[in-house]
């Protein structure tokens, strides 16, 4: 039997090096694009160069004659069978979903939409044949600007709808009974500050391009795909294509990052399935990066009109949020739910009396938007943390003092917010104190004053973000009340093998998060078996049949707890067998360090490994006992978890060139108990990089014709190592009270918190110029213009401000130079 | 078709290839060296980085026919034959310098090249040295730590054996 003496007293809390690394470090990887099957054919997809057009004719006959080409298909070939890309989150009963063909049939609605597919012997030949497809398009006027899209009698993205509005989703604290009527707080306000913030369009930019292999298999299919959501994909694929669900197997092998970008049922996955079934052959499609940037879903892209009210003493009273959220051309899996998920987070850690949130989902001729790391919550955090700074400016108060005055005090937990959510735990005071010390805040403030006084051309800006987020998606009953089409539970099962080794099957499908390591640590503690004796199995609907996958910082908080619950059941089964073996009463046994012993008689014990073998042999079990320790559990959380933290940014802004350089970035995150500090810190680091990138670097830009002008990594500026600082990270621990591990989730914290800290710092640096806002990304051009224009210039944050390119139309030149906008 | 004759990870190969075939596709699709991956189509991301005669190159911007009579090391050939990880690979593991692992082959080989040129790089030199390789998961912090750790390991071992950390095959 396996020895247990090598086991530390507790695995949880140890910085265990990752099990996942071994094969990744030596290139023995299973990325979907690495898969080769006998007889496999390769797909290349022809994509629309037009943002909005009617397809008047398609001629594929020449392409079919190209060498190595097996078949060419258009939308007409699959018009009756392809169904619609599913939208699982109809946020209102009236929501308009125009339908989303995988392969365009009669009309294209964004550049990059799939219009034809070539099937050939190899990838090069498939790609070569695309040029032989002849398509005529009749252009339609292009809809790009969300507000223009909502004007009456404007061009419709989808001619069969009555407007470009998909939905209007509203929450109001008076009506909900969770706070005062918003109209009362607005009317009674002593101070009112209004701002318009722009959440630019972002591209998730996972490093592994999406890839799908489909092998037809009798009535069904086996699909390998670079997906975050094999289980959701299986169910949705079955529903969309009318394949019996039990005939569909989805495998997510090694998956190279997702960040929400692979939380999707993609047109490419549907097309691969249709073609494989039609030809009866396995097929593979792997996108190029350029295809990925224009056709994989985008994120953010909202206009945020925010009104905050307060008393003269700085006590906040009301928050009124109006959003325009760009859905792009179609609704994908959870597109409408993304901005709505933010609805409960705008009030953040502050005690508002009244609150209103109105979100209008709008169709435009752009790539659809959907989940991107944080998904609704970064937008909310940005808006509230930016407007708290604006309010502080209006009141001439220190921005940290304003926050302190209004946040939920440690002794007030649990606290029910104006949105009706109950925050179970937190300590904003402690996290803030630690962060201020970590960065050396007071010294930086002194230096800032000194540099301001001497009119240093390089000014120092200091930015704050005291944030919280709702994680652990999600209590199923809450999802139901929000009209989401599924639950939020997670499943785990544990198999104890004859030799005492343990297999843990999880429904959370990892793609870089380190579940194999963290779950092993959890089970090692729960069962008292060595870390190395545990194998974690995930990412294949055949071996891990039940789950809801990985997104929304849910894996540990929901999936990890399911593992704990399954382990509890194993222990209870083992207890019965141990009692039989020890001829004792089960209630007289205690379980510690992997061994059952009679209370008060240490050394009399039976190890879990011995019990596992006894269960396997089944020679002498208690009457009626099944010969197995195997267990499974499905856990549905009772509440969200609420990680929080204080992020501080010190940034040098060169007022002559506009260049902003982060000098110091410090964050103290309270993510509750930590299973593996090394992995948790890694999640924070990566999250920070993405949040900082929104503040300073990244933006998906369309020209006036609807062409994505940031369609490669040359133009879409992912930060490199030299663009980012080293981060100072710290932790406080306020354990979650709603789950047995006290964990809260960490996947999105860095991204959610960091963006406003950076922008607040940029704006703070330019305070002597009267600058009140710089639109993201805060490029040298925008900062330079803000300095040049000073008060009343960039301060308005108007979308038509120069240097603003995100919103097509007004300020962007047509690609042929003839557009109505100004030339940049 | 053009003939290519090349040594990859210690094995010699001769193949007829189309002149336009990219090295990365030759490695992946003809030789089965799928440890080397493709992350973009504009030579920005560096995921496909390999060592060509010991120096890092992005194998998406080299044609297969250009490597005749040359020697390539991919991530699959970096560890010792007994499976002992190269010091840079080991440092990536020890410092949690990878999450999804997709950029890792390129990042590790770029770091090898950096260290073969500069055995004692500063943090800024490391950040600039690997700026041609994109990572979306780690924020680079632990990658920088890993390269620092590998550098100090390399200096320690070269002090004792005269060897260097870089690969100079």
């Amino acid at each position: 039997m396996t020895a247990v003496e090598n086991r530390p007293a507790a695995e949880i809390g140890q910085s265990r090096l990752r099990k996942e690394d071994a094969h990744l470090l030596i290139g023995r990887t299973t990325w979907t694009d690495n898969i080769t099957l006998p007889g496999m054919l390769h797909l290349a997809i022809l994509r629309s160069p037009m943002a909005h057009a009617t397809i008047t004719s398609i001629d594929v006959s020449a392409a079919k004659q190209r060498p190595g080409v097996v078949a060419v298909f258009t939308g007409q070939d699959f018009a009756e069978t392809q169904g619609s890309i599913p939208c699982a989150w109809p946020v209102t009963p009236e929501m308009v979903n125009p339908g989303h063909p995988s392969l365009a049939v009669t009309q294209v609605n964004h550049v990059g939409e799939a219009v034809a597919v070539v099937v050939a012997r190899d990838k090069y030949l498939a790609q070569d044949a695309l040029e032989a497809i002849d398509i005529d398009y009749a252009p339609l006027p292009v809809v790009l600007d969300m507000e223009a899209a909502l004007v009456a009698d404007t061009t419709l993205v989808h001619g069969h709808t009555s407007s470009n509005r998909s939905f209007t989703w509203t929450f109001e604290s008076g009506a909900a009974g969770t706070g005062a009527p918003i109209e009362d707080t607005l009317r009674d306000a002593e101070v009112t500050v209004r701002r318009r913030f722009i959440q630019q369009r972002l591209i998730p930019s996972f490093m592994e391009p999406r890839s799908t292999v489909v092998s037809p298999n009798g009535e069904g299919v086996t699909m390998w795909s670079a997906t975050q959501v094999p289980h959701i994909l299986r169910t949705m694929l079955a529903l969309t294509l009318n394949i019996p669900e039990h005939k569909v197997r989805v495998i997510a092998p090694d998956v190279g990052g997702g960040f929400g970008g692979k939380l999707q049922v993609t047109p490419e996955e549907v097309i691969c399935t249709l073609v494989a079934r039609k030809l009866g052959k396995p097929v593979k499609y792997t996108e190029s990066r350029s295809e990925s940037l224009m056709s994989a879903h985008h994120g953010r892209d909202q206009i945020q009109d925010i009104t905050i009210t307060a008393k003269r003493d700085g006590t906040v009273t009301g928050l009124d949020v109006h959003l325009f959220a760009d859905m792009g051309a179609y609704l994908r899996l959870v597109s409408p739910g993304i901005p709505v998920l933010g609805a409960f987070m705008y009030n953040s850690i502050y005690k508002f009396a009244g609150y209103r949130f109105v979100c209008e989902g709008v169709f435009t001729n752009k790539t659809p938007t959907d989940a991107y790391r944080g998904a609704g919550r970064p937008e909310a955090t940005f808006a509230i943390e930016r407007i708290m700074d604006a309010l502080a400016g209006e009141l001439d108060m220190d921005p940290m003092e304003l926050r302190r005055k209004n946040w939920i005090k440690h002794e007030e937990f649990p606290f029910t917010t104006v949105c009706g959510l109950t925050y179970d735990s937190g300590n904003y005071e402690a996290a803030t104190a630690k962060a201020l010390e970590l960065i050396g805040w007071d010294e930086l403030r002194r230096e800032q004053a000194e540099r301001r006084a001497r009119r240093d051309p390089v000014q120092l800006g200091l930015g704050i973000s005291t944030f919280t987020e709702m994680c652990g998606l999600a209590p199923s009953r809450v999802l139901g009340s929000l009209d989401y089409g599924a639950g939020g539970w997670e499943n785990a099962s544990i198999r104890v093998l004859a030799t005492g080794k343990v297999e843990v099957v999880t429904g959370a499908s990892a793609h870089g998060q380190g579940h194999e390591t963290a779950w092993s640590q959890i089970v090692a503690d729960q069962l008292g078996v060595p870390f190395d004796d545990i194998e974690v199995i995930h990412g294949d609907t055949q071996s891990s049949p039940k789950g809801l996958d990985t997104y929304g910082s849910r894996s540990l908080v929901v999936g990890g707890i399911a593992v704990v619950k399954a382990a509890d059941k194993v222990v209870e089964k083992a207890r019965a067998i141990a009692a039989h073996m020890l001829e004792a009463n089960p209630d007289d046994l205690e379980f510690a360090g992997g061994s059952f012993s009679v209370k008060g008689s240490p050394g009399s014990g039976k190890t879990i490994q011995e019990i596992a073998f006894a269960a396997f042999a089944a020679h002498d079990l208690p009457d009626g006992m099944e010969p197995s320790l195997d267990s499974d559990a499905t856990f549905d959380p009772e509440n969200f978890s609420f990680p929080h933290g204080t992020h501080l940014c010190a940034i040098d802004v060169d007022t002559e060139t506009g260049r902003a350089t982060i000098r110091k970035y410090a964050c103290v995150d309270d993510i509750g108990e930590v299973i593996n500090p090394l992995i948790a810190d890694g999640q924070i680091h990566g999250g920070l990089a993405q949040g900082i990138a929104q503040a300073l670097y990244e933006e998906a830009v369309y020209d006036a014709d609807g062409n994505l002008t940031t369609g490669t990594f040359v133009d879409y500026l992912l930060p490199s190592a030299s663009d980012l600082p080293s981060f100072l990270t710290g932790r406080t621990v306020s354990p979650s009270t709603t789950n047995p591990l006290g964990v809260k989730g960490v996947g999105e914290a860095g991204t959610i918190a960091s963006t406003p800290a950076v922008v607040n710092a940029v704006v703070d640096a330019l305070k002597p110029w009267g600058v009140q806002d710089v639109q993201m990304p805060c490029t040298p051009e925008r900062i330079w213009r803000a300095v040049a224009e000073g008060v009343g210039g960039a301060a308005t944050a108007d979308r038509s401000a120069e240097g603003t390119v995100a919103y097509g139309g007004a300020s962007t030149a047509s690609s042929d130079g003839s557009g109505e906008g100004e030339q940049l | 078709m053009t003939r290519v004759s090349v040594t990859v990870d210690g094995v010699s190969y001769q193949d007829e290839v189309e002149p336009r075939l990219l090295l990365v596709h030759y490695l992946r699709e003809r030789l089965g060296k799928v440890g080397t991956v493709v992350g973009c189509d504009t030579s920005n991301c560096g995921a496909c980085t390999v060592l060509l005669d010991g120096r890092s190159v992005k194998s998406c911007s080299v044609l297969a026919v250009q490597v005749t009579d040359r020697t390539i090391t991919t991530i699959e050939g970096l560890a010792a034959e007994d499976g002992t990880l190269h010091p840079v690979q080991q440092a990536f593991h020890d410092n949690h310098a990878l999450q999804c692992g997709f950029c890792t082959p390129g990042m590790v080989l770029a770091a090898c090249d950096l260290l073969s040129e500069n055995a004692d790089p500063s943090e800024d030199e490391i950040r600039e040295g690997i700026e041609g390789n994109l990572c979306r998961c780690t924020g680079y912090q632990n990658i920088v730590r890993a390269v620092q750790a590998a550098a100090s390991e390399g200096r320690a071992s070269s002090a004792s054996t005269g060897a260097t950390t870089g690969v100079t095959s």
Side-chain angles (χ1 to χ4, degrees), chain A residues 578 582 588-592 595-606:
Chain A
L582 293 166
D588 293 337
L589 296 185
E590 60 187 3
F591 181 60
S595 182
F596 286 94
S597 54
V598 180
K599 285 172 193 162
S601 310
S604 66
K606 291 288 176 193

Side-chain angles (χ1 to χ4, degrees), chain A residues 45 93 148 197 309 350 378 597:
Chain A
I45 292 177
F197 299 122
T309 62
Y350 310 114
S597 54

Side-chain angles (χ1 to χ4, degrees), chain A residues 30-37 40 213 224 253 284, chain B residues 28 34:
Chain A
T30 61
W31 315 114
T32 301
D33 190 48
N34 293 1
I35 292 167
T36 300
L37 298 175
M40 188 171 81
V213 170
W224 292 256
K284 172 155 78 178
Chain B
R28 286 180 57 79
V34 293

Side-chain angles (χ1 to χ4, degrees), chain A residues 28 231 375 412 416 553 660 672 806 819:
Chain A
R28 201 158 297 165
H231 299 92
E412 292 176 302
T416 299
S553 304

Side-chain angles (χ1 to χ4, degrees), chain A residues 479-490:
Chain A
L479 291 177
S481 72
L482 293 173
D483 301 301
Y484 180 60
W489 48 263
E490 192 48 86

Side-chain angles (χ1 to χ4, degrees), chain A residues 80-120:
Chain A
E80 302 304 316
T81 51
Q82 67 177 336
S84 172
I85 291 294
C87 176
W89 203 335
V91 290
T92 66
E94 301 79 25
M95 183 189 86
V96 175
N97 182 355
H100 183 349
S102 291
L103 209 48
V105 181
T106 56
Q107 184 173 315
V108 290
N109 295 305
H110 69 89
V111 169
E113 188 168 354
V115 290
V117 54
V118 171
V119 191

Side-chain angles (χ1 to χ4, degrees), chain A residues 405-459:
Chain A
K405 189 175 180 64
N406 287 290
W407 71 39
I408 301 158
K409 308 278 184 292
H410 179 55
E411 57 272 20
E412 292 176 302
F413 287 94
F415 184 91
T416 299
T417 73
V418 74
C419 296
L421 287 183
T422 300
Y423 296 177
D424 62 319
S425 68
N427 191 335
Y428 308 139
E429 296 88 340
T432 300
K434 198 165 179 177
L436 290 171
E437 190 186 329
L438 195 57
I439 202 168
W441 186 259
D442 293 342
E443 178 53 34
L444 288 165
R445 274 286 187 220
R446 272 192 289 280
E447 180 190 329
Q448 179 185 50
E450 188 268 320
R451 280 161 69 175
R452 274 185 187 167
R454 68 177 153 90
R455 298 180 183 279
D456 188 337
V458 182
Q459 287 285 318

Side-chain angles (χ1 to χ4, degrees), chain A residues 250-287:
Chain A
V250 176
I251 301 167
D254 283 337
V255 176
F259 317 110
K262 291 174 180 169
L263 198 193
Q264 195 54 268
V265 177
T266 69
E268 293 78 6
E269 286 161 340
V270 171
I271 290 168
C272 283
T273 308
L274 289 165
V275 171
R277 280 160 69 84
K278 187 124 181 167
L279 298 177
K281 300 277 280 183
V283 303
K284 172 155 78 178
Y285 168 76
T286 301
E287 67 185 0

